[in-house]
Amino acid sequence: MTRVGVVTFPGTLDDRDAARAVRLAGCEPVALWHKDADLHEVDAVVLPGGFSYGDYLRCGAIAAVAPVMGSVVEAAGKGMPVLGICNGFQILCEAHLLEGALIRNDHQKFLCRDQKLRVENASTAWTASFAVGDEITVPLKNGEGCFQAAPDTIERLEGEGRVVFRYVDVNPNGSANDIAGITNAAGNVVGLMPHPEHAVEAGFGPLAVGAEGMQGHGGVEGLGIFTSLLRDMVS
């Protein structure tokens, strides 16, 4: 069975949610502690959301130099799939596994809402269950979710197809080019600001929106991000 490490830092909130998503996707979640450099022979790593180290300095800045991250950076360089969600995305940028930075939302407020995303790249380790153009709705909750980078970096990310997810209908935080998630050049490291782990079980995800308004009992559209890992491992 594919073993997926889920890292807990001081201030992490969504590690158990991420572990549940990993389990529902058919993988074995393995708890990893921020002080432990041993990845315990996992096949992939998830950096979940929260407020690591209280978001002191900058969001993710302290977590990026935690002992476990030295091993994550090394493993990612050798091709291990790594997913960063919300604060995990911030950590990946601070650790220079992904380009750009996440700054304060342009409206200066913490935001919590269901958010529609469009899949822009279906060839990464974390998007193999999707097709380009697919739209999914997952929860979004952040105060520092505004993705920014130098204009030439944005141009390169777009030109190389490294924008993985894009906000649809509304840009909730001012991110450049409506960018919600990106990948590294190799496609094994992905960071996204919204929370797919909160939309993996029927009855507990965002409600479907149809012609008659809110419908259903909650979607599971975020689960594909975690099941993608199994497809990537098989291929």
PDB file of all heavy atoms in Angstrom, residues 30-59:
ATOM      1  N   VAL A  30       0.799   8.185   7.289  1.00  0.00           N
ATOM      2  CA  VAL A  30       1.875   7.994   8.254  1.00  0.00           C
ATOM      3  C   VAL A  30       2.149   9.342   8.907  1.00  0.00           C
ATOM      4  O   VAL A  30       2.474  10.320   8.221  1.00  0.00           O
ATOM      5  CB  VAL A  30       3.151   7.461   7.581  1.00  0.00           C
ATOM      6  CG1 VAL A  30       4.279   7.328   8.600  1.00  0.00           C
ATOM      7  CG2 VAL A  30       2.877   6.132   6.890  1.00  0.00           C
ATOM      8  N   ALA A  31       2.004   9.425  10.220  1.00  0.00           N
ATOM      9  CA  ALA A  31       2.220  10.680  10.933  1.00  0.00           C
ATOM     10  C   ALA A  31       3.712  11.010  10.977  1.00  0.00           C
ATOM     11  O   ALA A  31       4.531  10.173  11.370  1.00  0.00           O
ATOM     12  CB  ALA A  31       1.658  10.587  12.343  1.00  0.00           C
ATOM     13  N   LEU A  32       4.055  12.238  10.582  1.00  0.00           N
ATOM     14  CA  LEU A  32       5.431  12.721  10.632  1.00  0.00           C
ATOM     15  C   LEU A  32       5.475  13.958  11.525  1.00  0.00           C
ATOM     16  O   LEU A  32       4.615  14.831  11.422  1.00  0.00           O
ATOM     17  CB  LEU A  32       5.944  13.073   9.237  1.00  0.00           C
ATOM     18  CG  LEU A  32       5.963  11.950   8.198  1.00  0.00           C
ATOM     19  CD1 LEU A  32       6.442  12.490   6.854  1.00  0.00           C
ATOM     20  CD2 LEU A  32       6.853  10.803   8.651  1.00  0.00           C
ATOM     21  N   TRP A  33       6.474  14.046  12.385  1.00  0.00           N
ATOM     22  CA  TRP A  33       6.616  15.141  13.349  1.00  0.00           C
ATOM     23  C   TRP A  33       7.682  16.110  12.870  1.00  0.00           C
ATOM     24  O   TRP A  33       8.710  15.706  12.317  1.00  0.00           O
ATOM     25  CB  TRP A  33       6.965  14.559  14.710  1.00  0.00           C
ATOM     26  CG  TRP A  33       7.050  15.517  15.850  1.00  0.00           C
ATOM     27  CD1 TRP A  33       8.104  15.700  16.699  1.00  0.00           C
ATOM     28  CD2 TRP A  33       6.038  16.418  16.315  1.00  0.00           C
ATOM     29  NE1 TRP A  33       7.826  16.648  17.640  1.00  0.00           N
ATOM     30  CE2 TRP A  33       6.558  17.117  17.430  1.00  0.00           C
ATOM     31  CE3 TRP A  33       4.736  16.718  15.872  1.00  0.00           C
ATOM     32  CZ2 TRP A  33       5.828  18.092  18.121  1.00  0.00           C
ATOM     33  CZ3 TRP A  33       4.003  17.682  16.562  1.00  0.00           C
ATOM     34  CH2 TRP A  33       4.549  18.349  17.669  1.00  0.00           C
ATOM     35  N   HIS A  34       7.439  17.393  13.096  1.00  0.00           N
ATOM     36  CA  HIS A  34       8.312  18.438  12.558  1.00  0.00           C
ATOM     37  C   HIS A  34       9.755  18.332  13.023  1.00  0.00           C
ATOM     38  O   HIS A  34      10.681  18.741  12.320  1.00  0.00           O
ATOM     39  CB  HIS A  34       7.758  19.819  12.921  1.00  0.00           C
ATOM     40  CG  HIS A  34       7.848  20.147  14.383  1.00  0.00           C
ATOM     41  ND1 HIS A  34       8.650  21.150  14.880  1.00  0.00           N
ATOM     42  CD2 HIS A  34       7.233  19.591  15.457  1.00  0.00           C
ATOM     43  CE1 HIS A  34       8.519  21.215  16.195  1.00  0.00           C
ATOM     44  NE2 HIS A  34       7.668  20.285  16.563  1.00  0.00           N
ATOM     45  N   LYS A  35       9.988  17.774  14.204  1.00  0.00           N
ATOM     46  CA  LYS A  35      11.349  17.665  14.737  1.00  0.00           C
ATOM     47  C   LYS A  35      12.078  16.418  14.267  1.00  0.00           C
ATOM     48  O   LYS A  35      13.270  16.255  14.537  1.00  0.00           O
ATOM     49  CB  LYS A  35      11.315  17.670  16.269  1.00  0.00           C
ATOM     50  CG  LYS A  35      10.996  19.011  16.886  1.00  0.00           C
ATOM     51  CD  LYS A  35      11.143  18.944  18.399  1.00  0.00           C
ATOM     52  CE  LYS A  35      10.919  20.304  19.044  1.00  0.00           C
ATOM     53  NZ  LYS A  35      11.086  20.242  20.524  1.00  0.00           N
ATOM     54  N   ASP A  36      11.364  15.548  13.565  1.00  0.00           N
ATOM     55  CA  ASP A  36      11.912  14.252  13.174  1.00  0.00           C
ATOM     56  C   ASP A  36      12.321  14.306  11.702  1.00  0.00           C
ATOM     57  O   ASP A  36      11.482  14.486  10.817  1.00  0.00           O
ATOM     58  CB  ASP A  36      10.857  13.172  13.401  1.00  0.00           C
ATOM     59  CG  ASP A  36      11.392  11.767  13.184  1.00  0.00           C
ATOM     60  OD1 ASP A  36      12.580  11.628  12.822  1.00  0.00           O
ATOM     61  OD2 ASP A  36      10.617  10.816  13.369  1.00  0.00           O
ATOM     62  N   ALA A  37      13.597  14.145  11.421  1.00  0.00           N
ATOM     63  CA  ALA A  37      14.081  14.186  10.033  1.00  0.00           C
ATOM     64  C   ALA A  37      13.836  12.879   9.286  1.00  0.00           C
ATOM     65  O   ALA A  37      14.036  12.808   8.072  1.00  0.00           O
ATOM     66  CB  ALA A  37      15.570  14.522  10.004  1.00  0.00           C
ATOM     67  N   ASP A  38      13.403  11.839   9.989  1.00  0.00           N
ATOM     68  CA  ASP A  38      13.154  10.537   9.384  1.00  0.00           C
ATOM     69  C   ASP A  38      11.768  10.519   8.741  1.00  0.00           C
ATOM     70  O   ASP A  38      10.761  10.737   9.418  1.00  0.00           O
ATOM     71  CB  ASP A  38      13.243   9.449  10.465  1.00  0.00           C
ATOM     72  CG  ASP A  38      13.117   8.046   9.901  1.00  0.00           C
ATOM     73  OD1 ASP A  38      12.887   7.900   8.681  1.00  0.00           O
ATOM     74  OD2 ASP A  38      13.243   7.089  10.698  1.00  0.00           O
ATOM     75  N   LEU A  39      11.697  10.270   7.448  1.00  0.00           N
ATOM     76  CA  LEU A  39      10.417  10.214   6.742  1.00  0.00           C
ATOM     77  C   LEU A  39       9.772   8.832   6.807  1.00  0.00           C
ATOM     78  O   LEU A  39       8.698   8.617   6.218  1.00  0.00           O
ATOM     79  CB  LEU A  39      10.599  10.632   5.282  1.00  0.00           C
ATOM     80  CG  LEU A  39      11.059  12.075   5.041  1.00  0.00           C
ATOM     81  CD1 LEU A  39      11.095  12.373   3.544  1.00  0.00           C
ATOM     82  CD2 LEU A  39      10.172  13.069   5.759  1.00  0.00           C
ATOM     83  N   HIS A  40      10.394   7.900   7.485  1.00  0.00           N
ATOM     84  CA  HIS A  40       9.820   6.571   7.751  1.00  0.00           C
ATOM     85  C   HIS A  40       9.392   5.847   6.466  1.00  0.00           C
ATOM     86  O   HIS A  40       8.337   5.209   6.409  1.00  0.00           O
ATOM     87  CB  HIS A  40       8.647   6.683   8.719  1.00  0.00           C
ATOM     88  CG  HIS A  40       9.030   7.275  10.049  1.00  0.00           C
ATOM     89  ND1 HIS A  40       9.735   6.554  11.004  1.00  0.00           N
ATOM     90  CD2 HIS A  40       8.838   8.510  10.574  1.00  0.00           C
ATOM     91  CE1 HIS A  40       9.947   7.322  12.073  1.00  0.00           C
ATOM     92  NE2 HIS A  40       9.427   8.515  11.833  1.00  0.00           N
ATOM     93  N   GLU A  41      10.206   5.981   5.441  1.00  0.00           N
ATOM     94  CA  GLU A  41      10.030   5.236   4.191  1.00  0.00           C
ATOM     95  C   GLU A  41       8.672   5.474   3.534  1.00  0.00           C
ATOM     96  O   GLU A  41       8.084   4.567   2.944  1.00  0.00           O
ATOM     97  CB  GLU A  41      10.249   3.737   4.434  1.00  0.00           C
ATOM     98  CG  GLU A  41      11.657   3.417   4.945  1.00  0.00           C
ATOM     99  CD  GLU A  41      11.892   1.932   5.142  1.00  0.00           C
ATOM    100  OE1 GLU A  41      10.907   1.166   5.114  1.00  0.00           O
ATOM    101  OE2 GLU A  41      13.051   1.541   5.300  1.00  0.00           O
ATOM    102  N   VAL A  42       8.178   6.689   3.607  1.00  0.00           N
ATOM    103  CA  VAL A  42       6.918   7.006   2.926  1.00  0.00           C
ATOM    104  C   VAL A  42       7.167   7.178   1.433  1.00  0.00           C
ATOM    105  O   VAL A  42       8.292   7.401   0.983  1.00  0.00           O
ATOM    106  CB  VAL A  42       6.271   8.282   3.513  1.00  0.00           C
ATOM    107  CG1 VAL A  42       5.934   8.074   4.981  1.00  0.00           C
ATOM    108  CG2 VAL A  42       7.168   9.501   3.325  1.00  0.00           C
ATOM    109  N   ASP A  43       6.084   7.081   0.675  1.00  0.00           N
ATOM    110  CA  ASP A  43       6.158   7.227  -0.773  1.00  0.00           C
ATOM    111  C   ASP A  43       5.807   8.639  -1.233  1.00  0.00           C
ATOM    112  O   ASP A  43       6.087   9.014  -2.386  1.00  0.00           O
ATOM    113  CB  ASP A  43       5.198   6.238  -1.443  1.00  0.00           C
ATOM    114  CG  ASP A  43       5.494   4.799  -1.043  1.00  0.00           C
ATOM    115  OD1 ASP A  43       6.606   4.324  -1.345  1.00  0.00           O
ATOM    116  OD2 ASP A  43       4.616   4.158  -0.421  1.00  0.00           O
ATOM    117  N   ALA A  44       5.175   9.406  -0.360  1.00  0.00           N
ATOM    118  CA  ALA A  44       4.771  10.768  -0.678  1.00  0.00           C
ATOM    119  C   ALA A  44       4.564  11.520   0.630  1.00  0.00           C
ATOM    120  O   ALA A  44       4.490  10.908   1.707  1.00  0.00           O
ATOM    121  CB  ALA A  44       3.486  10.779  -1.507  1.00  0.00           C
ATOM    122  N   VAL A  45       4.469  12.840   0.538  1.00  0.00           N
ATOM    123  CA  VAL A  45       4.312  13.669   1.737  1.00  0.00           C
ATOM    124  C   VAL A  45       3.242  14.723   1.484  1.00  0.00           C
ATOM    125  O   VAL A  45       3.173  15.308   0.406  1.00  0.00           O
ATOM    126  CB  VAL A  45       5.636  14.361   2.128  1.00  0.00           C
ATOM    127  CG1 VAL A  45       5.409  15.411   3.226  1.00  0.00           C
ATOM    128  CG2 VAL A  45       6.662  13.338   2.601  1.00  0.00           C
ATOM    129  N   VAL A  46       2.418  14.955   2.520  1.00  0.00           N
ATOM    130  CA  VAL A  46       1.451  16.048   2.504  1.00  0.00           C
ATOM    131  C   VAL A  46       1.798  17.019   3.628  1.00  0.00           C
ATOM    132  O   VAL A  46       1.990  16.609   4.778  1.00  0.00           O
ATOM    133  CB  VAL A  46       0.012  15.540   2.698  1.00  0.00           C
ATOM    134  CG1 VAL A  46      -0.961  16.720   2.802  1.00  0.00           C
ATOM    135  CG2 VAL A  46      -0.398  14.621   1.559  1.00  0.00           C
ATOM    136  N   LEU A  47       1.898  18.297   3.285  1.00  0.00           N
ATOM    137  CA  LEU A  47       2.051  19.362   4.275  1.00  0.00           C
ATOM    138  C   LEU A  47       0.681  20.008   4.422  1.00  0.00           C
ATOM    139  O   LEU A  47       0.226  20.716   3.520  1.00  0.00           O
ATOM    140  CB  LEU A  47       3.071  20.398   3.811  1.00  0.00           C
ATOM    141  CG  LEU A  47       4.469  19.884   3.439  1.00  0.00           C
ATOM    142  CD1 LEU A  47       5.347  21.054   2.990  1.00  0.00           C
ATOM    143  CD2 LEU A  47       5.118  19.167   4.612  1.00  0.00           C
ATOM    144  N   PRO A  48      -0.017  19.767   5.531  1.00  0.00           N
ATOM    145  CA  PRO A  48      -1.397  20.226   5.664  1.00  0.00           C
ATOM    146  C   PRO A  48      -1.504  21.683   6.101  1.00  0.00           C
ATOM    147  O   PRO A  48      -0.505  22.353   6.372  1.00  0.00           O
ATOM    148  CB  PRO A  48      -1.968  19.288   6.733  1.00  0.00           C
ATOM    149  CG  PRO A  48      -0.786  18.909   7.563  1.00  0.00           C
ATOM    150  CD  PRO A  48       0.409  18.912   6.641  1.00  0.00           C
ATOM    151  N   GLY A  49      -2.738  22.149   6.187  1.00  0.00           N
ATOM    152  CA  GLY A  49      -2.996  23.532   6.526  1.00  0.00           C
ATOM    153  C   GLY A  49      -2.951  23.799   8.026  1.00  0.00           C
ATOM    154  O   GLY A  49      -2.915  22.886   8.851  1.00  0.00           O
ATOM    155  N   GLY A  50      -2.958  25.071   8.362  1.00  0.00           N
ATOM    156  CA  GLY A  50      -2.923  25.501   9.751  1.00  0.00           C
ATOM    157  C   GLY A  50      -2.140  26.789   9.900  1.00  0.00           C
ATOM    158  O   GLY A  50      -2.077  27.606   8.977  1.00  0.00           O
ATOM    159  N   PHE A  51      -1.538  26.955  11.053  1.00  0.00           N
ATOM    160  CA  PHE A  51      -0.759  28.160  11.355  1.00  0.00           C
ATOM    161  C   PHE A  51       0.565  27.732  11.984  1.00  0.00           C
ATOM    162  O   PHE A  51       0.798  27.926  13.180  1.00  0.00           O
ATOM    163  CB  PHE A  51      -1.540  29.080  12.302  1.00  0.00           C
ATOM    164  CG  PHE A  51      -2.894  29.473  11.785  1.00  0.00           C
ATOM    165  CD1 PHE A  51      -4.013  28.698  12.059  1.00  0.00           C
ATOM    166  CD2 PHE A  51      -3.042  30.606  11.005  1.00  0.00           C
ATOM    167  CE1 PHE A  51      -5.267  29.058  11.569  1.00  0.00           C
ATOM    168  CE2 PHE A  51      -4.285  30.972  10.513  1.00  0.00           C
ATOM    169  CZ  PHE A  51      -5.409  30.194  10.792  1.00  0.00           C
ATOM    170  N   SER A  52       1.414  27.099  11.193  1.00  0.00           N
ATOM    171  CA  SER A  52       2.647  26.540  11.739  1.00  0.00           C
ATOM    172  C   SER A  52       3.460  27.596  12.468  1.00  0.00           C
ATOM    173  O   SER A  52       3.688  28.693  11.951  1.00  0.00           O
ATOM    174  CB  SER A  52       3.485  25.905  10.615  1.00  0.00           C
ATOM    175  OG  SER A  52       3.813  26.854   9.619  1.00  0.00           O
ATOM    176  N   TYR A  53       3.861  27.246  13.676  1.00  0.00           N
ATOM    177  CA  TYR A  53       4.648  28.142  14.534  1.00  0.00           C
ATOM    178  C   TYR A  53       3.965  29.501  14.709  1.00  0.00           C
ATOM    179  O   TYR A  53       4.623  30.532  14.869  1.00  0.00           O
ATOM    180  CB  TYR A  53       6.067  28.326  13.980  1.00  0.00           C
ATOM    181  CG  TYR A  53       6.854  27.038  13.918  1.00  0.00           C
ATOM    182  CD1 TYR A  53       6.854  26.271  12.756  1.00  0.00           C
ATOM    183  CD2 TYR A  53       7.593  26.582  15.010  1.00  0.00           C
ATOM    184  CE1 TYR A  53       7.565  25.081  12.687  1.00  0.00           C
ATOM    185  CE2 TYR A  53       8.306  25.396  14.951  1.00  0.00           C
ATOM    186  CZ  TYR A  53       8.288  24.652  13.785  1.00  0.00           C
ATOM    187  OH  TYR A  53       8.992  23.466  13.726  1.00  0.00           O
ATOM    188  N   GLY A  54       2.628  29.503  14.685  1.00  0.00           N
ATOM    189  CA  GLY A  54       1.878  30.718  14.914  1.00  0.00           C
ATOM    190  C   GLY A  54       1.985  31.749  13.807  1.00  0.00           C
ATOM    191  O   GLY A  54       1.606  32.912  14.001  1.00  0.00           O
ATOM    192  N   ASP A  55       2.488  31.345  12.633  1.00  0.00           N
ATOM    193  CA  ASP A  55       2.683  32.278  11.511  1.00  0.00           C
ATOM    194  C   ASP A  55       3.621  33.427  11.865  1.00  0.00           C
ATOM    195  O   ASP A  55       3.520  34.530  11.308  1.00  0.00           O
ATOM    196  CB  ASP A  55       1.338  32.844  11.016  1.00  0.00           C
ATOM    197  CG  ASP A  55       0.596  31.868  10.119  1.00  0.00           C
ATOM    198  OD1 ASP A  55       1.195  30.851   9.715  1.00  0.00           O
ATOM    199  OD2 ASP A  55      -0.577  32.112   9.825  1.00  0.00           O
ATOM    200  N   TYR A  56       4.535  33.203  12.820  1.00  0.00           N
ATOM    201  CA  TYR A  56       5.510  34.243  13.144  1.00  0.00           C
ATOM    202  C   TYR A  56       6.479  34.439  11.979  1.00  0.00           C
ATOM    203  O   TYR A  56       6.699  33.553  11.168  1.00  0.00           O
ATOM    204  CB  TYR A  56       6.273  33.879  14.419  1.00  0.00           C
ATOM    205  CG  TYR A  56       5.413  33.953  15.662  1.00  0.00           C
ATOM    206  CD1 TYR A  56       5.064  32.810  16.363  1.00  0.00           C
ATOM    207  CD2 TYR A  56       4.925  35.181  16.114  1.00  0.00           C
ATOM    208  CE1 TYR A  56       4.261  32.877  17.498  1.00  0.00           C
ATOM    209  CE2 TYR A  56       4.128  35.258  17.244  1.00  0.00           C
ATOM    210  CZ  TYR A  56       3.787  34.108  17.931  1.00  0.00           C
ATOM    211  OH  TYR A  56       2.991  34.181  19.032  1.00  0.00           O
ATOM    212  N   LEU A  57       7.106  35.574  11.926  1.00  0.00           N
ATOM    213  CA  LEU A  57       7.958  36.014  10.818  1.00  0.00           C
ATOM    214  C   LEU A  57       7.108  36.153   9.568  1.00  0.00           C
ATOM    215  O   LEU A  57       6.571  37.211   9.293  1.00  0.00           O
ATOM    216  CB  LEU A  57       9.126  35.063  10.593  1.00  0.00           C
ATOM    217  CG  LEU A  57      10.110  34.893  11.757  1.00  0.00           C
ATOM    218  CD1 LEU A  57      11.237  33.951  11.348  1.00  0.00           C
ATOM    219  CD2 LEU A  57      10.665  36.234  12.199  1.00  0.00           C
ATOM    220  N   ARG A  58       6.986  35.108   8.787  1.00  0.00           N
ATOM    221  CA  ARG A  58       6.064  35.016   7.663  1.00  0.00           C
ATOM    222  C   ARG A  58       5.435  33.640   7.718  1.00  0.00           C
ATOM    223  O   ARG A  58       6.020  32.694   8.257  1.00  0.00           O
ATOM    224  CB  ARG A  58       6.798  35.175   6.324  1.00  0.00           C
ATOM    225  CG  ARG A  58       7.449  36.499   6.084  1.00  0.00           C
ATOM    226  CD  ARG A  58       8.143  36.511   4.718  1.00  0.00           C
ATOM    227  NE  ARG A  58       9.054  35.390   4.557  1.00  0.00           N
ATOM    228  CZ  ARG A  58      10.319  35.368   5.004  1.00  0.00           C
ATOM    229  NH1 ARG A  58      10.811  36.409   5.656  1.00  0.00           N
ATOM    230  NH2 ARG A  58      11.094  34.308   4.809  1.00  0.00           N
ATOM    231  N   CYS A  59       4.248  33.517   7.142  1.00  0.00           N
ATOM    232  CA  CYS A  59       3.572  32.217   7.150  1.00  0.00           C
ATOM    233  C   CYS A  59       4.465  31.164   6.504  1.00  0.00           C
ATOM    234  O   CYS A  59       4.857  31.297   5.345  1.00  0.00           O
ATOM    235  CB  CYS A  59       2.253  32.307   6.393  1.00  0.00           C
ATOM    236  SG  CYS A  59       1.067  33.427   7.117  1.00  0.00           S
TER     237      CYS A  59
END
